[in-house]
Amino acid sequence: MPSLVEGVFLCAVRSRPLGVRALRESLEANDPSARIIAIISPDDPELAAVLAELSSAWTVLEAPAEATTVMKANLAFATFPDEAFYGFLANDLTWTRKGLLEELAAKVPPFGLSYCADSIHNASLATHPCADGELLRAQGWCFFPESKHNGVDCYMQDVATALGGICYVEGPGFWHNHPSAGRTQTDAVYDLVNSYGEADRAAWQKWYGAGEKERVIQRVRETALGCS
């Protein structure tokens, strides 16, 4: 079981400086030893305010202008390819349970993932999971490169379920401050994500309709068998 400091948590950050502050405060209060990689956007209109809210303890990685969420996560994975696990955070998440990230890290199955309630989907979907590093290395990427944002947790959950399994961490989890739950107003970031809809639907079709899911699972399974 990996310890908290053996892996990293990736956070694609764009705008929402107050959300970055709330995320930082959750980390400092509950999981201060977590290693965070914040991937910033040079074309972010609120970049100065975002940078002011980042912790000096975090690693800051600059993505190319107009990079999507998937591109940012895959850039971070390529830059830090040897971690025991990779967790995923966002600047619309908070939590008040001490040691939540530590428990997520400890319960990542080999070639699988762990996740907790996100206050919206809860046990039904592995949003913001922790994924085993060997799983991602066998895939060759962090998030399905054909996608841009929507559905990336589903692709990862598909592969993990077929290989090492998924572990749901019981108890209080994240609070997801998302407009779909009526908790905040939509903003430019959500509008940008919504603009990815057509590309993400095409990625969804390739994954489920063109056999990409089965090809990736087979590739990862062969790697896992070689490691056993």
Side-chain angles (χ1 to χ4, degrees):
M1 295 188 298
S3 70
L4 183 59
V5 296
E6 291 180 284
V8 292
F9 288 84
L10 310 183
C11 185
V13 177
R14 185 179 181 89
S15 299
R16 302 184 190 141
L18 294 182
V20 176
R21 179 187 301 175
L23 175 66
R24 173 173 51 79
E25 290 173 347
S26 285
L27 282 158
E28 291 171 347
N30 300 299
D31 292 279
S33 61
R35 297 167 57 214
I36 309 299
I37 299 174
I39 309 103
I40 62 170
S41 303
D43 57 334
D44 184 352
E46 297 185 77
L47 183 57
V50 166
L51 291 173
E53 296 295 347
L54 297 180
S55 168
S56 61
W58 297 0
T59 298
V60 179
L61 188 62
E62 184 174 303
E66 300 182 0
T68 66
T69 307
V70 167
M71 292 170 63
K72 289 177 179 178
N74 286 346
L75 171 64
F77 175 61
T79 307
F80 300 89
D82 301 317
E83 303 296 336
F85 68 85
Y86 296 82
F88 304 94
L89 301 174
N91 59 352
D92 57 1
L93 290 180
T94 58
W95 64 101
T96 57
R97 174 181 167 188
K98 289 188 179 297
L100 175 62
L101 300 191
E102 183 175 15
E103 187 172 0
L104 286 169
K107 292 187 175 179
V108 176
F111 286 92
L113 62 81
S114 63
Y115 71 109
C116 64
D118 70 347
S119 73
I120 298 176
H121 302 286
N122 300 319
S124 66
L125 183 63
T127 65
H128 306 98
C130 268
D132 178 52
E134 294 297 341
L135 173 71
L136 302 193
R137 284 184 282 275
Q139 289 183 156
W141 31 262
C142 177
F143 288 152
F144 184 40
E146 299 288 333
S147 63
K148 292 190 174 184
H149 180 97
N150 302 287
V152 295
D153 41 11
C154 297
Y155 305 134
M156 185 178 291
Q157 186 171 342
D158 285 343
V159 182
T161 300
L163 275 300
I166 60 176
C167 176
Y168 179 65
V169 175
E170 300 283 353
F174 297 125
W175 177 260
H176 197 178
N177 193 37
H178 198 275
S180 65
R183 296 169 180 170
T184 188
Q185 297 295 315
T186 190
D187 60 17
V189 177
Y190 293 123
D191 291 343
L192 179 62
V193 168
N194 289 335
S195 76
Y196 297 152
E198 184 175 347
D200 283 334
R201 282 190 291 273
W204 192 263
Q205 176 59 35
K206 183 171 183 178
W207 183 257
Y208 289 107
E212 191 66 17
K213 171 184 171 181
E214 289 74 20
R215 286 190 287 271
V216 172
I217 288 173
Q218 182 59 29
R219 184 169 72 240
V220 177
R221 179 175 287 116
E222 290 171 357
T223 301
L225 289 171
C227 294
S228 61

